[in-house]
Structure formats: structure tokens, C-alpha cells
Amino acid sequence: MLTIGKLGDAAGVKVPTIRYYEQIGLLPEAERSAGNQRLYGRKAMERLAFIRHSRDLGFTLEAIRDLLSLSDNPAQSCAAADAIAKSQLVEVESRLARLTALKAELERMVLQCAGGRIADCRVIEVLGDHSLCATDHRRPETDVLA
């Protein structure tokens, strides 16, 4: 059995995060020692490793909850897990496209900057007026003022 600190160290997760995962139901409540200290077994370690790896891959907590629910029923079809992973892939591809556009725009701004005074700075000018950008690199959820 591992204490919460040792579990966190082993999984590379901070103690408050483990407590939060328990609070929102991603991790079951830990057993308690006679001194009321949380104690975790191998299954908790495996579940926390699953959550950590899922977060590293960018899955939302809701998607992780769904994936954990699926993993708790190993006899069922993996179609739902595949759908969740495909949805995450689409999101990653969208982010990559936005990041590529951002990179191109930043390179363009830097190359156009003559290195003179701020009054003539192309970087400041472009940041102040989105219409000067070569591409629309805004996040889809960004509100645009009319």
C-alpha cells in the first residue's frame, strides 16, 4: 500500500491533483490507515497512471471519465473508446493547424520588423490590427467584436 505522497511520486502527479481526482470521482476514495492516512493499492496506481497518460495526450476530464467507465467493462466493444480517441485526434489536428498558422504569422511579423523605433514597429502594428495578419489564426471560440 502506498501513501498519497508515494503514489504521487510514483505516478508523477501532485498530491492536490490526486485529492481532486478522488473528489470528482475519477479515482475511488482511498482506504484509510488507523491514523486516517490515505492508502492506495496497485489498482489505484494503475488507474492514476491511466489518467495521467490520458491527460498527457490532451484528453479532457470528461473523456477520461468515459474511457475509465469503458475500461471498467472490458468485455464490451471498443468502438466507443475508438470514437473518443478519434475525436481527440481531430482536436489535436485542429490545434496543430492553428499553431502552424500562428508560427507563420509570428515569423512574418518578425521578418517585417525593421528594428527601428516602437512607433514604426511592425510587430506592434500587427498585434494592434488583426486585419494585417496573413491568416485567420484565432481560436474558434474567440469572440469577435463587431
Side-chain angles (χ1 to χ4, degrees):
M1 298 296 279
L2 298 171
T3 63
I4 195 169
K6 292 194 184 303
L7 176 69
D9 289 343
V13 176
K14 294 183 180 186
V15 168
T17 303
I18 296 170
R19 288 187 187 123
Y20 176 69
Y21 290 160
E22 282 183 12
Q23 180 185 356
I24 64 171
L26 288 181
L27 280 176
E29 284 192 33
E31 296 178 31
R32 297 285 182 153
S33 69
N36 204 30
Q37 191 175 32
R38 287 177 167 95
L39 297 174
Y40 300 89
R42 181 186 54 79
K43 284 192 174 212
M45 177 63 196
E46 290 170 357
R47 194 168 181 98
L48 185 58
F50 182 98
I51 295 166
R52 169 71 195 269
H53 190 204
S54 299
R55 293 297 288 156
D56 288 345
L57 291 170
F59 285 95
T60 65
L61 291 176
E62 194 55 42
I64 294 169
R65 182 182 311 283
D66 293 343
L67 289 164
L68 285 168
S69 177
L70 292 168
S71 73
D72 289 338
N73 298 296
Q76 65 183 326
S77 164
C78 69
D82 288 345
I84 293 168
K86 285 176 185 172
S87 176
Q88 180 61 19
L89 178 60
V90 167
E91 176 58 30
V92 167
E93 288 171 342
S94 174
R95 274 189 263 152
L96 282 172
R98 284 194 316 269
L99 286 171
T100 299
L102 286 172
K103 179 180 183 275
E105 190 59 43
L106 288 167
E107 288 172 342
R108 192 176 75 80
M109 282 190 324
V110 168
L111 286 173
Q112 289 179 351
C113 187
R117 298 176 307 127
I118 287 294
D120 304 317
C121 181
R122 183 68 175 166
V123 171
I124 299 296
E125 182 182 8
V126 171
L127 290 174
D129 185 354
H130 188 270
S131 69
L132 297 174
C133 291
T135 61
D136 186 6
H137 49 81
R138 291 177 286 203
R139 293 182 190 155
E141 66 274 5
T142 300
D143 292 330
V144 178
L145 299 175

